[in-house]
Amino acid sequence: MEESSKAVSLTVEQAEPEAKPPHEAMFMVLAYLPVYEVVVMSQVCTSLRDAVNNDILPWLNVIVEGTLSWRLNDEILMKITSKANSRLKTLALINCMHVTDQGLQRVVEQNPLINKLHIPGCTGITPEGVLRAVKTLGQRSNCLKSLSINGIYNIQKEHLDMLIMNLRKNLPLPLEEQQKQQSVYYHERGSLSVFKREESQRLIDLEICPKCFEVRMVYDCPKGHCMRREWPLAPCRGCIFCIPRCENCGGCIESGQVEDGACEDIFCLECWLQLPKCSFCNKPYCKRHVNWWCTSSDSSSICKVCDENSHGYTYTDFL
């Protein structure tokens, strides 16, 4: 009886299908994933783990964003970029405040083939550090074709001029003509991925604001019927400090048409009327804060601020 049961169990074990390796397309996707997703994919199966650990393809484009940004420092950055074996093409560090000039310079020196350098919000990097990195890439390979430095403190016109001079070497057209070919809209600023920037042909994200003459992000108006465009002395183009813009559509807002949202962003009257609003304060949320909606006991939608006030606490009390 025992022998027959063992034979049955052995037959069942042999009948179980073997695990198949993932589709070949999965390995091609690794090269387009941010660092966090690459690490997660390495935990799916042994085949993907070996591909992540032994293949340089997933590490040719290093993109660090989200929760990993505040954890990244110079030492970890060196370990990650070293997996590309000096063939790194894209380095995108989004809001990585712990990365310094020294860490960036070490990565640039060991990876001379970088053609996209995006470090917006990396407050630990100085304008001098950016300029030194760009000069290093220009002297060694001259491959840099895209630079994003919005959010780095104390960038002056002199720094911008030096960066433009170094980037101009790779341009088939003058930089001014390249910049005019592509419009930048305020409501799309968060959706400009590293790979879409190559299509936009903008080599650097900052320029001189035509209103205040400061080095900032300059936005265009997407509205075809914009009143400012009809007045040549006041074109609808400038930084967010000079021309207030709607968080939802990116259009300019006149002084008497500014509407506040529950997330403290501003909207034009047209968008404010169309967006869903809180049942208590009658204020909407922008696209970036749609996850801030709460549901009350009567299934109505309320904003986070009103929900906090109704319970007598704030979400920061639990952080």
Side-chain angles (χ1 to χ4, degrees):
M1 188 68 178
E2 294 180 357
E3 293 180 356
S4 61
S5 61
K6 291 181 179 180
V8 172
S9 62
L10 182 61
T11 304
V12 173
E13 292 178 358
Q14 292 177 350
E16 292 181 357
E18 296 182 358
K20 296 182 179 180
H23 194 275
E24 294 181 358
M26 296 294 293
F27 299 95
M28 302 300 296
V29 171
L30 293 176
Y32 299 93
L33 296 178
V35 172
Y36 178 79
E37 280 77 6
V38 171
V39 175
V40 172
M41 291 288 285
S42 67
Q43 301 175 358
V44 174
C45 63
T46 55
S47 299
L48 289 174
R49 182 193 61 192
D50 294 339
V52 170
N53 293 334
N54 303 325
D55 191 3
I56 69 170
L57 187 61
W59 304 104
L60 295 181
N61 301 294
V62 172
I63 306 172
V64 180
E65 58 184 353
T67 56
L68 290 183
S69 296
W70 63 274
R71 300 181 182 180
L72 188 71
N73 54 31
D74 294 345
E75 182 180 356
I76 299 176
L77 179 62
M78 280 300 303
K79 292 181 180 179
I80 293 175
T81 55
S82 63
K83 294 180 177 293
N85 294 334
S86 300
R87 296 169 60 182
L88 184 66
K89 295 181 179 180
T90 299
L91 180 62
L93 310 177
I94 315 300
N95 299 321
C96 298
M97 61 185 69
H98 298 300
V99 177
T100 65
D101 293 346
Q102 292 75 19
L104 177 63
Q105 186 64 24
R106 289 171 59 191
V107 172
V108 166
E109 291 176 352
Q110 296 186 10
N111 297 273
L113 301 180
I114 294 177
N115 55 39
K116 298 177 186 176
L117 180 60
H118 299 271
I119 48 177
C122 295
T123 55
I125 299 176
T126 64
E128 291 75 17
V130 176
L131 186 57
R132 184 164 57 250
V134 172
K135 286 183 177 180
T136 301
L137 291 174
Q139 293 172 356
R140 300 189 62 182
S141 63
N142 208 22
C143 293
L144 187 61
K145 294 181 173 60
S146 181
L147 178 64
S148 177
I149 54 176
N150 183 39
I152 293 180
Y153 296 146
N154 300 322
I155 297 181
Q156 304 298 326
K157 186 177 183 300
E158 294 75 15
H159 299 126
L160 183 63
D161 292 339
M162 292 296 295
L163 291 172
I164 290 176
M165 184 181 66
N166 285 273
L167 291 171
R168 195 188 296 268
K169 300 175 183 178
N170 297 330
L171 291 179
L173 295 175
L175 182 63
E176 292 79 5
E177 296 184 15
Q178 291 264 354
Q179 296 284 40
K180 291 179 181 179
Q181 292 178 1
Q182 177 65 25
S183 299
V184 179
Y185 301 126
Y186 180 70
H187 65 298
E188 296 179 351
R189 66 192 187 281
S191 62
L192 291 176
S193 67
V194 174
F195 300 100
K196 288 182 179 179
R197 284 188 182 274
E198 184 176 4
E199 302 173 0
S200 69
Q201 296 183 350
R202 289 186 63 88
L203 299 186
I204 187 168
D205 57 343
L206 299 182
E207 55 182 298
I208 303 296
C209 175
K211 302 289 186 181
C212 62
F213 304 103
E214 296 290 340
V215 180
R216 289 170 178 162
M217 286 282 292
V218 177
Y219 301 102
D220 299 274
C221 185
K223 294 183 178 180
H225 58 280
C226 176
M227 298 299 295
R228 292 177 183 265
R229 288 181 177 175
E230 298 177 3
W231 187 24
L233 297 180
C236 186
R237 192 169 190 273
C239 67
I240 191 61
F241 296 97
C242 296
I243 301 179
R245 298 193 179 277
C246 175
E247 187 69 34
N248 189 62
C249 70
C252 59
I253 307 177
E254 298 295 337
S255 57
Q257 299 180 353
V258 178
E259 301 292 341
D260 296 329
C263 52
E264 298 185 354
D265 291 317
I266 61 175
F267 303 90
C268 63
L269 181 60
E270 182 178 354
C271 291
W272 188 88
L273 293 173
Q274 297 177 359
L275 292 172
K277 300 174 183 61
C278 173
S279 301
F280 288 87
C281 66
N282 197 34
K283 292 183 178 181
Y285 271 129
C286 65
K287 298 177 182 178
R288 297 186 299 115
H289 300 109
V290 291
N291 59 334
W292 283 20
W293 286 110
C294 304
T295 304
S296 62
S297 56
D298 58 351
S299 300
S300 60
S301 297
I302 61 175
C303 66
K304 181 188 292 188
V305 177
C306 292
D307 184 63
E308 292 174 352
N309 295 334
S310 63
H311 290 84
Y313 64 85
T314 62
Y315 284 90
T316 55
D317 295 336
F318 298 92
L319 297 180

